[in-house]
Amino acid sequence: MGLLTQGTPLSWEDTKKWADHVRKHGIKQFLAQYKKLMSRKKDVLYWGDEIEYTLIKFDHTNRKVYVALKAQDILTRLTENSEQNSNPPESTSWHPEYASYQVEGTPGKPYGSLMAHFNTVEANMSQRRKEIQDQLEEDEAPLSLTVFPRLGCGTFTWPIAKTNPVNGISRSLFFPDEAINQGHVRFMTVTRNCRLRRTEKQLINIPIYKDINTKSPFIEDFSILGDDGSSAAAAKPDHIYMDCMGFGMGNCCLQVTFQASCLDEAKTLYDQLAVMCPIMLALSASSPVYRGYLSDNDTRWPVMAGACDDRTKEERGVEPLKENQYRIAKSRYDSIDSFISTLGQQYNDIHLTFNQEIFEELIAEGVDDLLARHIAHLFIRDPVLVFAQNLDQDDENDTNHFENIQSTNWQTMRFKPPPPNSNIGWRVEFRPME
């Protein structure tokens, strides 16, 4: 789920106060790395996949299935084991994800460009699955399942956890805080701050699939769950209603990152893969069920967009602009808004909202127009997580402030500058697949 810095998170009120500081120094950090590495060439093709797994517990006696809230324990053991096995074809690497029933696995070393490397991909994926299964009980399994069908349905977790719609982090009627990863403060803090920034709970309405047995109109009664009336007002008739980040970030997907030979190739690759995003999303579509209901929708994407939408009513166009600066057309989690290579420039035919001051600073420092617009567009967003220990950084050698904004723009493609003081090149991340 992006940058996993350790530290003490600021309150939302303090995070807002430091937002301009983070943006200002984030741009300085980007420019420092850009100037050092803009002419870097001849990096070879490296690439790797990221697969997220849902940990499942089976109750065969009662014929029930739950998500197993044990990711942190499993992750600790997986990490210890992977550090002992550094043989590249079989090596693995493990990372935390948003939910406490999720783990993310990647190859321990990136793949290369030779045909021989392709022969190791499936074996490495099998190795990852085996490593997880070895750490689970007989009645548990890791599933590469996009959406657990009963996510948000009463007692869907093991151990059983209850929601807290009054004082919980997410205030959800359906998704308990215990299902959010407890091992890193990022996940709980981002959940809280996205809700507070929005000034209301997340709002997700997905059309229900209607057959002869579906009530018409399909309307749910949330009062028995502790609804104060806000969820009933937000839910649309004939829709499946969801109300927190967990319904999106608690899903699993497959992502692929590619290293380009140079900056220009990375921008071209970004644009070429961008047009493949909706195609690959459709081809991998595998998430028709939400909260136990069959939806008239095949992919997770609209759920992800709603789950991560921290825009205020002003930014969404519901109210006139007063406190906020921009009308923002999309959620933080959505499709890209512009092409960034000279070959793709002619296809930039939609309005792009961007920070004019940041754009002018980037142009003045020698960044080309297309990339400057892209970065300035990302930086219309506020940070949703700031650590007290990371307020003051060395802008020549740190990129935490830049990545703070960059890594919380969850778009179909991500353009990734090289990390400071590393041998990693310019990269792009392909993010749409289920």
Side-chain angles (χ1 to χ4, degrees), residues 171-394:
R171 303 288 200 271
S172 175
L173 298 178
F174 319 106
F175 197 96
D177 287 347
E178 288 82 355
I180 304 171
N181 188 319
Q182 311 289 307
H184 195 288
V185 292
R186 173 186 172 98
F187 305 107
M188 298 282 271
T189 306
V190 169
T191 300
R192 179 197 67 195
N193 288 352
C194 282
R195 175 178 58 80
L196 291 174
R197 188 186 188 283
R198 183 183 169 87
T199 70
E200 58 186 350
K201 291 196 298 184
Q202 269 61 35
L203 172 58
I204 309 158
N205 279 299
I206 300 299
I208 195 164
Y209 179 82
K210 304 195 77 170
D211 62 16
I212 59 173
N213 296 313
T214 309
K215 292 180 180 180
S216 189
F218 173 80
I219 299 175
E220 296 184 87
D221 179 9
F222 302 126
S223 60
I224 59 174
L225 300 175
D227 180 29
D228 60 2
S230 60
S231 292
K236 293 181 179 180
D238 295 328
H239 284 69
I240 304 164
Y241 168 72
M242 291 164 277
D243 64 350
C244 73
M245 181 175 275
F247 283 107
M249 287 300 190
N251 298 341
C252 294
C253 66
L254 165 65
Q255 298 165 343
V256 186
T257 298
F258 302 91
Q259 177 175 272
S261 65
C262 62
L263 172 60
D264 286 340
E265 184 177 84
K267 291 190 288 186
T268 301
L269 186 58
Y270 178 97
D271 287 359
Q272 290 178 333
L273 288 175
V275 299
M276 294 296 296
C277 287
I279 297 172
M280 295 306 295
L281 176 61
L283 287 175
S284 62
S286 60
S287 44
V289 180
Y290 300 94
R291 281 190 49 238
Y293 294 109
L294 184 62
S295 75
D296 198 15
N297 180 75
D298 291 329
T299 77
R300 77 196 191 286
W301 206 265
V303 178
M304 301 293 297
C308 300
D309 192 356
D310 71 335
R311 293 174 299 163
T312 66
K313 290 181 179 179
E314 292 181 17
E315 290 169 334
R316 300 196 308 270
V318 176
E319 296 177 352
L321 284 175
K322 293 180 180 178
E323 301 296 326
N324 299 116
Q325 189 173 357
Y326 307 104
R327 287 262 195 267
I328 304 178
K330 297 179 182 178
S331 165
R332 294 180 91 112
Y333 204 118
D334 220 306
S335 56
I336 68 162
D337 289 299
S338 68
F339 295 109
I340 60 175
S341 74
T342 53
L343 293 173
Q345 181 175 10
Q346 60 185 310
Y347 302 109
N348 282 332
D349 56 357
I350 63 174
H351 174 72
L352 185 68
T353 302
F354 59 88
N355 186 311
Q356 184 67 34
E357 182 180 348
I358 287 176
F359 170 74
E360 291 174 359
E361 179 182 359
L362 292 167
I363 291 292
E365 294 290 343
V367 180
D368 67 88
D369 180 88
L370 293 170
L371 186 56
R373 288 176 186 272
H374 168 74
I375 299 297
H377 170 63
L378 300 182
F379 273 67
I380 64 175
R381 308 287 182 175
D382 284 337
V384 287
L385 172 65
V386 176
F387 290 109
Q389 294 86 345
N390 291 338
L391 292 173
D392 296 314
Q393 299 175 14
D394 177 2

Side-chain angles (χ1 to χ4, degrees), residues 3 5 20-38 358 361-362 365 367 375 379 389-406 417-421 426:
L3 188 67
T5 303
D20 287 339
H21 175 88
V22 171
R23 276 190 291 265
K24 175 183 176 181
H25 288 275
I27 292 301
K28 290 184 181 297
Q29 291 171 1
F30 169 78
L31 285 169
Q33 298 307 310
Y34 179 83
K35 291 176 181 179
K36 292 176 186 176
L37 301 166
M38 59 183 293
I358 287 176
E361 179 182 359
L362 292 167
E365 294 290 343
V367 180
I375 299 297
F379 273 67
Q389 294 86 345
N390 291 338
L391 292 173
D392 296 314
Q393 299 175 14
D394 177 2
D395 291 342
E396 286 294 318
N397 295 294
D398 291 329
T399 57
N400 276 356
H401 285 322
F402 172 74
E403 290 295 342
N404 189 316
I405 303 292
Q406 156 97 336
N421 306 315
W426 296 91

Side-chain angles (χ1 to χ4, degrees), residues 47-48 86-89 91-93 106-111 124:
W47 66 281
S86 58
N87 184 30
S91 64
T92 57
S93 181
T106 67
K109 301 274 173 56
Y111 305 120
N124 191 276

